[in-house]
Amino acid sequence: TNKEIQFIDTDSIKYNSQGFLSVITKYSEIDPLDNQVLNTNSYLLAIDCEKRLFSKLPVDAELKQVKNWTNPINDKLIKKTIINSCSL
């Protein structure tokens, strides 16, 4: 989006035996006026590609640590990240 960007580390994409995907991502919040990075955060994004659900975990976490899945109803950036990650 014009205020956010989500980088996907394609080398980190892994599927577990249950078909869930994990990928290390870096989220950056950007000032749309001057394109300066305001905030950056890296995390492990766990994705249920079939149901289009996600969970954010610390970078060093494992998929088995997912306790709750979230529906990205109002999050356009996460929706696009899920679609892009699941199609790789």
Side-chain angles (χ1 to χ4, degrees), residues 33-72:
L33 298 176
D34 61 8
N35 289 330
Q36 293 294 318
V37 175
L38 302 174
N39 183 19
T40 297
N41 184 24
S42 292
Y43 54 89
L44 181 72
L45 186 64
I47 302 172
D48 179 339
C49 289
E50 185 177 314
K51 296 180 182 174
R52 297 286 195 249
L53 302 174
F54 75 98
S55 184
K56 293 179 183 177
L57 301 165
V59 172
D60 60 350
E62 296 180 19
L63 278 176
K64 63 184 178 185
Q65 294 175 277
V66 173
K67 300 218 184 324
N68 297 305
W69 293 98
T70 304
N71 189 331

Side-chain angles (χ1 to χ4, degrees), residues 2 16 28 31 38 40-41 47 51 70 72 77 81-83:
N2 65 340
N16 71 3
S28 294
D31 183 334
L38 302 174
T40 297
N41 184 24
I47 302 172
K51 296 180 182 174
T70 304
L77 185 63
T81 302
I82 290 171
I83 290 166

